[in-house]
Amino acid sequence: MTVLAHRTTASDSNDAVTRDALAVLQPGFEGTTAPAWLLRRVGEGLTAVGLFGRNIASPEQLAALTMQLRAERDDVLVAIDEEGGDVTRLEVRGGSSFPGNLALGAVDDTALTREVARELGRRLAECGVNLNWAPSADVNSNPDNPVIGVRSFGADTHLAARHTAAYVEGLQAAGVAACTKHFPGHGDTNVDSHHALPRIDVDLDTLQARELVPFKAAIEAGTKAVMSAHILVPALDPTRPATLSPQILTGLLRKELGYEGLIVTDGMEMNAIAGTYGIERGSVLAVAAGADAICVGGGLADEATVLRLRDALVAAVHEGALPEERLADAAARVRALAEWTRRVRPDAPPEGSGASGIGLTAARRALVITGRASRIEAPYVATFAPVANFAVGDETPWGVAGELAALVPGTASGVYPEGASAGEVLAAAGDRTVVAVVRDAHRHPWMAEAVDALVAARPDTVVVEMGLPRTEPRGALYIATHGASRVCGRAAAEVIAGV
């Protein structure tokens, strides 16, 4: 009843607490132009806005959208989840021009990673985006992880650390703030936090030696933001997930690791939080625990959500559940980052650096090729398509069919969902050479079985693994791309076509 009474009397007030509550929110919205309600709230103190694939049609449209927002507030933070590779928002409809973290880790050239991140940052900055919820610093220690996989630089801690630092440096050299995620490390989970609460049962020594090392490297590299993970780590806090844990956000990240920048939550409508605490209570607990910015909008993207969260924070301050000083400190950190993005000037690119085509160059270098195929005429591309995880989404095209068709006349193709058999592919292929395209075949027994049967029936089958390459090479030609972005498909298609 107290909250309801507060909402009816103070929900539109312009006092400092209300402005601070607005400042810590990073909401999303629908559409490719800023709705009137969003512009109004930015004018009232909302300091950040989150963009998703639904908000982007072209670089020109995105630049116009960010100009709309800056007409209301010139230092507004415009954030995006643009990892490159499989998780892209800037190129959600066509596939990314960059290969993604696992491919960069496979090459293991930190100068290349830095250059790729700089070029990605340049493109974001050109469109008016100044905060990127990337890179993923998670060590992919569990190959069956359903949500990280190729989003990680790899399973080696120190490799992940050096590439995380290089990525942060490259992105921020372009004037875009990096947001290193998912603290304290999401790599050793077997549950997707979009659906439930993952748990990591390792001891403190393992956490210090494995999960935390890339985050320490990011902090040393000057990352402007860190994103918390919705994961339970009993060795650090046996009762609350990291996003809601004072021990993890304030005790570990702030005090032990000495991090002074912005702490951003992962999406609060993800079921790991919303299904257990609710987004209002979860947001209050997150800020009280040490988070400075509340990310919401992947699923809930309307004014009502913004007002619910604003009013929940204001009510928590008035009722003593959230210290006013903590909310003010959080809002001050958001505004400080906004001010940094307003005054930062991108570094000049190194002399002789070639931004054009750097993503394709990286994708080509990341390929691991086993075997050799004779010249292929009019192949049949069979893409075995698992259900995409929420972070990747299912709207972004992937595979090699389109890229191969552009290089080899007469290429035909089909998409095969879970349960498809080799017999279905062979019937469709006829006497054509089969190119079997898979994604994380080690996690999908139906897929591995179908490919094994194809290779047994047709030894000339070409196999392209576009996820985590955990199975033995098979087929006359086996290509591991270490990612499923558009340029990964192009690099693999070039090998198959012999160009």
Side-chain angles (χ1 to χ4, degrees), residues 78-123:
V78 181
I80 199 169
D81 196 3
E82 180 56 61
E83 299 176 14
D86 289 22
V87 179
T88 179
R89 309 299 178 230
L90 200 59
E91 299 181 276
V92 67
R93 289 169 178 79
S96 180
S97 300
F98 303 94
N101 285 2
L102 189 67
L104 295 172
V107 177
D108 196 13
D109 179 347
T110 53
L112 177 67
T113 295
R114 194 175 293 107
E115 190 174 350
V116 166
R118 180 196 292 271
E119 174 59 12
L120 178 60
R122 185 194 67 77
R123 295 188 190 188

Side-chain angles (χ1 to χ4, degrees), residues 158-246:
H158 297 288
L159 178 146
R162 61 180 172 266
H163 286 278
T164 296
Y167 195 107
V168 167
E169 291 165 356
L171 192 64
Q172 294 186 169
V176 175
C179 182
T180 305
K181 60 189 183 186
H182 306 81
F183 186 83
H186 210 309
D188 192 18
T189 60
N190 57 13
V191 172
D192 185 342
S193 50
H194 292 91
H195 305 302
L197 179 62
R199 178 185 176 109
I200 296 182
D201 284 304
V202 297
D203 57 30
L204 284 172
D205 289 343
T206 300
L207 289 169
Q208 290 285 355
R210 189 178 67 186
E211 271 73 18
L212 297 182
V213 174
F215 290 97
K216 292 176 183 177
I219 292 169
E220 290 173 5
T223 186
K224 292 296 180 181
V226 169
M227 179 177 283
S228 66
H230 301 331
I231 56 174
L232 188 67
V233 188
L236 298 173
D237 187 331
T239 60
R240 286 188 179 176
T243 295
L244 311 184
S245 170

Side-chain angles (χ1 to χ4, degrees), residues 272-485:
I273 299 297
T276 306
Y277 297 88
I279 63 167
E280 293 98 330
R281 180 170 176 244
S283 296
V284 169
L285 291 174
V287 175
D292 305 305
I294 301 297
C295 177
V296 65
L300 298 172
D302 54 21
E303 184 177 22
T305 299
V306 172
L307 298 182
R308 283 166 58 197
L309 296 183
R310 181 200 65 182
D311 292 350
L313 292 166
V314 171
V317 168
H318 289 183
E319 294 168 1
L322 173 63
E324 185 173 348
E325 298 78 11
R326 169 79 273 272
L327 180 62
D329 174 64
R333 290 181 191 275
V334 174
R335 294 178 185 124
L337 180 57
E339 174 60 21
W340 177 85
T341 63
R342 190 181 66 81
R343 58 182 171 77
V344 69
R345 294 294 177 264
D347 292 349
E351 187 175 346
S353 68
S356 179
I358 186 63
L360 181 56
T361 297
R364 288 167 175 159
R365 291 181 62 185
L367 297 180
V368 173
I369 303 166
T370 304
R372 174 187 248 168
S374 57
R375 182 173 176 80
I376 299 174
E377 304 287 347
Y380 182 80
V381 181
T383 302
F384 292 90
V387 175
N389 73 56
F390 189 89
V392 173
D394 58 9
E395 68 268 54
T396 303
W398 67 279
V400 304
E403 299 294 337
L404 191 56
L407 299 174
V408 180
T411 297
S413 62
V415 177
Y416 296 86
E418 183 170 356
S421 68
E424 295 173 64
V425 175
L426 293 171
D431 58 0
R432 296 168 180 262
T433 299
V434 175
V435 178
V437 183
V438 297
R439 196 172 185 175
D440 292 335
H442 71 284
R443 292 185 50 241
H444 303 284
W446 67 273
M447 191 184 296
E449 290 169 10
V451 172
D452 285 343
L454 278 173
V455 172
R458 296 276 189 87
D460 64 343
T461 295
V462 175
V463 179
V464 182
E465 170 59 85
M466 305 196 79
L468 205 63
R470 294 286 298 178
T471 56
E472 290 297 317
R474 63 195 76 188
L477 174 65
Y478 174 87
I479 305 171
T481 62
H482 300 93
S485 70

Side-chain angles (χ1 to χ4, degrees), residues 17-65:
V17 173
T18 302
R19 290 196 303 273
D20 287 347
L22 273 175
V24 303
L25 302 180
Q26 292 189 353
F29 60 96
E30 299 285 349
T32 54
T33 59
W37 70 261
L38 183 65
L39 296 174
R40 183 170 63 255
R41 300 304 173 188
V42 169
E44 292 175 358
L46 186 68
T47 311
V49 174
L51 300 180
F52 297 86
R54 62 176 180 255
N55 304 123
I56 300 169
S58 69
E60 296 76 18
Q61 166 269 323
L62 178 55
L65 168 58

